[in-house]
Amino acid sequence: MQRMAWTDERLEERFDGIDRRPDEAEREMDEIARLIARLISVAKRWSVAIQASFLGVIVAILVKGV
């Protein structure tokens, strides 16, 4: 079985990879947070639109006197 020599260069590459992982994870978490914020914004807009629609229906019923 052949063993790999861990040269200084290979060790640096490995450590650089380890150092990048938290940065990549942080970027992904930021992206997820932005996505969640957009979804919440859309949900709020839909909520307001639905409430306004229900209010419109109630007003129409009251005005018509049914």
Side-chain angles (χ1 to χ4, degrees), residues 4 12 17 19 29 33 35 38 50 54 59 63-64:
M4 293 180 73
E12 284 297 320
D19 289 340
M29 293 300 290
L35 176 62
R38 285 194 329 221
I50 290 169
F54 282 139
V59 169
V63 167
K64 191 170 183 180

Side-chain angles (χ1 to χ4, degrees), residues 2-11:
Q2 183 181 3
R3 293 187 60 159
M4 293 180 73
W6 284 91
T7 62
D8 287 343
E9 184 177 300
R10 276 190 57 83
L11 286 171

Side-chain angles (χ1 to χ4, degrees), residues 8-24:
D8 287 343
E9 184 177 300
R10 276 190 57 83
L11 286 171
E12 284 297 320
E13 287 174 7
R14 283 307 230 175
F15 287 125
D16 286 345
I18 291 170
D19 289 340
R20 279 192 305 267
R21 287 183 192 151
D23 294 337
E24 291 171 3

